Amino acid sequence: MTVPDIPLNSGETIPQLGFGVFKIDPAETADAVSEALKFGYRHIDTAEMYRNEKGVGEAVQASGLYRSEVYITSKLNNGFHRPDDARRAFDGTLKALGSDYVDLFLIHWPLPTLYGGDFVSTWHTLEEFYREGRARSIGVSNFQVSHLQRLVQESEVVPAVNQIEVHPYLCNEEVRSADAELGIVTQAWSPIAKGRVLKDPTIGAIASRLGRTPAQVTLRWHIQRGDVIFPKSTTPARMKENFEIVDFELEPEDMAAISALDRGEEGRTGPNPDVFAYVPRSV
Ligand SMILES: NC(=O)c1ccc[n+]([C@@H]2O[C@H](COP(=O)([O-])OP(=O)(O)OC[C@H]3O[C@@H](n4cnc5c(N)ncnc54)[C@H](OP(=O)(O)O)[C@@H]3O)[C@@H](O)[C@H]2O)c1
């Protein structure tokens, strides 16, 4: 199974298919990531907010793979947007991962209603990590079009990626187009809408016709749209199923039928980034 590598504006490349660890219990993360690495995943998406960076690092170290063979992303927690806090948090991320660099580091949420709406100073702090080589690429997550425009106008480094909610029920075309225009790669989080799209009759019919599962058809749709994905599962059979999506193709009619399932804002499963203002209590 060869997972395509996608070029980033930093000059680095990222495996288009990875493994997400949101909601995986910190105590179970090392085992889950070890299992995923055995199936062939070479890209892990974690975050300080998930409290499981340590398990990711442990699994990579125990795998026998070189650090350079596994692409690791982490994200700045919402309580640490002020520059000094961001610097401390980033040191903590590297320590937890047991690595002197991270492949990709993101601002997890823009939080436009907190910190006086200033996510630009936070971004300038990530630019430091990038220049130091401790973050090989930097990017953002959950940035809306207006947030991206402001960031690009007021900064030197254009984000390498924007990680946003995208799946057949929320195609998020406006943000994806803005990303593409700015040379930013879109990463689609909750690619199967946390399982919600798997009972969809349109997706089910395509899956039966092709002898694939609804999850495989949905993940394949993302791959053909060019987005980077990292489905999460703690079920080994599903980890394997989700990885086996690079050896078939959807016809343009099937791609269009899946895209037509878009419900816009009604399809959103997570918070709206324009108003989301959550800061974890333990921060
Ligand atoms: N930047 C952000 O703000 C943000 C927000 C959310 C997520 N993310 C990232 O995106 C990753 C993926 O998103 P997600 O975890 O929210 O949702 P997801 O990957 O769309 O769905 C995960 C859910 O679907 C189930 N599942 C996985 N594969 C399946 C299959 N083949 N058949 C049936 N059910 C299946 C999993 O169950 P089991 O585990 O029980 O198998 C789990 O309940 C996260 O892990 C995280 O890395 C980022």
Side-chain angles (χ1 to χ4, degrees), residues 26-142:
E28 290 164 18
T29 303
D31 283 349
V33 173
S34 295
E35 196 76 27
L37 293 171
K38 280 186 206 144
F39 286 121
Y41 290 88
R42 292 291 180 268
H43 164 187
I44 312 294
D45 184 88
T46 183
E48 208 275 334
M49 204 187 295
Y50 306 165
R51 300 279 177 235
N52 56 19
E53 292 166 309
K54 192 161 176 281
V56 172
E58 284 169 3
V60 173
Q61 280 137 35
S63 67
L65 294 163
Y66 290 113
R67 168 68 186 84
S68 59
E69 291 177 279
V70 186
Y71 194 97
I72 304 179
T73 299
S74 196
K75 316 184 189 89
L76 182 72
N77 207 334
N78 292 352
F80 301 136
H81 275 215
R82 289 188 191 88
D84 277 344
D85 294 335
R87 291 183 191 109
R88 262 192 301 275
F90 184 64
D91 288 346
T93 282
L94 294 187
K95 190 166 177 234
L97 290 171
S99 178
D100 54 7
Y101 73 94
V102 68
D103 293 279
L104 178 62
F105 195 64
L106 311 181
I107 298 180
H108 205 148
W109 289 89
L111 308 175
T113 63
L114 299 180
Y115 301 104
D118 177 20
F119 43 74
V120 178
S121 311
T122 313
W123 179 249
H124 292 164
T125 313
L126 265 67
E127 288 180 332
E128 285 173 24
F129 310 152
Y130 178 58
R131 292 201 182 93
E132 292 161 356
R134 296 194 297 152
R136 299 274 164 95
S137 302
I138 50 173
V140 294
S141 178
N142 299 300

Side-chain angles (χ1 to χ4, degrees), residues 2-43:
T2 309
V3 172
D5 280 325
I6 301 278
L8 302 175
N9 63 18
S10 58
E12 303 279 319
T13 61
I14 184 169
Q16 196 180 5
L17 174 61
F19 181 71
V21 299
F22 179 42
K23 295 246 164 95
I24 301 187
D25 189 307
E28 290 164 18
T29 303
D31 283 349
V33 173
S34 295
E35 196 76 27
L37 293 171
K38 280 186 206 144
F39 286 121
Y41 290 88
R42 292 291 180 268
H43 164 187

Side-chain angles (χ1 to χ4, degrees), residues 227-272:
D227 292 354
V228 172
I229 49 171
F230 23 80
K232 172 263 174 188
S233 179
T234 41
T235 316
R238 289 174 173 173
M239 289 182 196
K240 183 169 183 290
E241 173 186 336
N242 295 347
F243 197 67
E244 291 173 346
I245 57 164
V246 293
D247 59 341
F248 75 107
E249 238 177 84
L250 297 173
E251 295 298 332
E253 308 81 76
D254 290 338
M255 289 294 295
I258 298 170
S259 302
L261 300 173
D262 191 6
R263 298 175 180 174
E265 279 306 312
E266 280 179 19
R268 200 182 276 285
T269 67
N272 184 320

